[in-house]
Amino acid sequence: METLSYGLSTLAVLVGTAFSVIGILGLVRLPDVYARMHAVGKVATFGVVLLTIAAVLVVPFAWSKGLVLIALLVLTGPATSHAIGSAAYRLGIPMKRALRDDLAARRLPEAGA
Amino acid sequence: MSQSSVLAYLRLIVLCFVLYLAITANLEPANWAAGLLMSVAIALIIRPASEPLSLRRLPAALLNLVVYVAWLSVDIIRNGIRVARIVLDPQLPIKPGILAIKSEMRTELGRALNAHAITVTPGEQVIEVDDNGTLYTHCLDVEASAAGAEEAQRKRQAMLKAIFE
């Protein structure tokens, strides 16, 4: 049983770290702030959640803490990335290589107004 | 005290209590008592506004919540792998764009959760919400997202409505 949970924990650490590395790669490779937000958001959801699961599998009686932590991460992560994305759009930072922009037709309230 | 305000207090107390027990991970009677005392104190300080709550709907809502979380998890994993593939591809095949997705949720909470569900999946992120509830969503692959948007949005809304509205 202990071997199993250690094995699963190791797997979770490896996959979580791999996704974190991919997220950072995306941050470097993707062209603009909006696309980069996707990569960063993925690091938060995948990397951190998997590392939390790994910790929970090894430390006994901590699963409920891990569950609360994961719930809070998943609930609050999108709020921050939305805030950054929305602020970027209101500041008029252009999208690179954009195929369509349904929002361009609508006039947004001025930033800071 | 009316029945609905009692329910509002009870809901907050139970929520705080469960959260306290989860965080402390300690099931000794003294800890139970401390948690209960703090939960009641928090409820008395916050004074939750009474809303139309019904106990009869609770089991169905909880069941739907579990289904919703499971569906969302699968969606996150599937899209996470898709985005990872895009990032690792030497050609970086992104087709970014902003897509207008209609939300038919009536309450502000419903709309916020709808936007949350979209933003939490990798590759899609709500940039702006207008007064009509249209969610302007930035997609890493706007063609693929546009093709699946209506179907996914219908499923999301049905589940959110069953839980919160």
Side-chain angles (χ1 to χ4, degrees):
Chain A
M1 199 58 212
E2 203 162 275
T3 327
L4 181 70
S5 65
Y6 267 94
L8 284 174
S9 169
T10 311
L11 189 71
V13 168
L14 287 176
V15 178
T17 311
F19 267 102
S20 297
V21 171
I22 292 171
I24 297 303
L25 257 177
L27 192 65
V28 175
R29 293 194 70 200
L30 291 168
D32 64 358
V33 61
Y34 307 100
R36 282 178 171 151
M37 293 304 309
H38 295 297
V40 176
K42 196 152 51 56
V43 172
T45 42
F46 267 75
V48 184
V49 165
L50 278 167
L51 290 180
T52 310
I53 289 173
V56 164
L57 284 170
V58 175
V59 185
F61 299 113
W63 62 268
S64 57
K65 287 183 206 182
L67 206 63
V68 172
L69 195 60
I70 289 171
L72 289 177
L73 276 170
V74 172
L75 266 175
T76 55
T80 53
S81 66
H82 163 75
I84 296 172
S86 180
Y89 198 93
R90 282 171 191 235
L91 287 172
I93 297 173
M95 279 192 286
K96 290 195 180 129
R97 292 163 60 182
L99 292 186
R100 67 187 268 191
D101 186 354
D102 291 354
L103 185 51
R106 262 182 40 83
R107 227 177 67 82
L108 281 177
E110 287 297 310
Chain B
M1 233 179 179
S2 70
Q3 197 201 358
S4 66
S5 74
V6 170
L7 276 176
Y9 271 89
L10 258 174
R11 182 172 68 163
L12 184 62
I13 290 172
V14 169
L15 195 71
C16 289
F17 187 49
V18 170
L19 205 60
Y20 178 83
L21 284 184
I23 291 172
T24 53
N26 175 354
L27 294 180
E28 282 170 34
N31 194 47
W32 282 77
L36 195 60
L37 212 66
M38 276 186 257
S39 306
V40 172
I42 288 170
L44 288 176
I45 293 167
I46 291 183
R47 298 170 170 275
S50 56
E51 311 159 35
L53 286 168
S54 100
L55 274 182
R56 254 180 305 125
R57 274 192 49 213
L58 191 65
L62 280 179
L63 184 70
N64 278 312
L65 187 66
V66 172
V67 174
Y68 175 65
V69 169
W71 181 80
L72 207 57
S73 308
V74 172
D75 210 38
I76 291 172
I77 292 168
R78 216 182 42 212
N79 282 295
I81 292 167
R82 202 177 55 133
V83 172
R85 223 182 247 159
I86 290 175
V87 168
L88 289 177
D89 195 307
Q91 264 142 31
L92 204 65
I94 57 167
K95 299 173 195 134
I98 292 181
L99 194 69
I101 297 179
K102 270 221 115 15
S103 172
E104 280 155 20
M105 305 298 287
R106 281 160 301 168
T107 61
E108 294 221 328
L109 176 69
R111 268 183 207 166
L113 286 166
N114 196 169
H116 171 266
I118 292 174
T119 307
V120 83
T121 48
E124 290 175 14
Q125 182 188 336
V126 176
I127 296 288
E128 192 67 46
V129 185
D130 74 4
D131 297 335
N132 309 321
T134 308
L135 308 169
Y136 293 95
T137 308
H138 183 272
C139 311
L140 214 47
D141 185 343
V142 78
E143 284 167 6
S145 293
E150 233 167 84
E151 167 93 30
Q153 177 66 358
R154 220 187 44 240
K155 268 193 205 156
R156 262 195 294 267
Q157 276 181 12
M159 277 188 262
L160 283 171
K161 275 184 180 157
I163 303 168
F164 296 103
E165 287 189 350

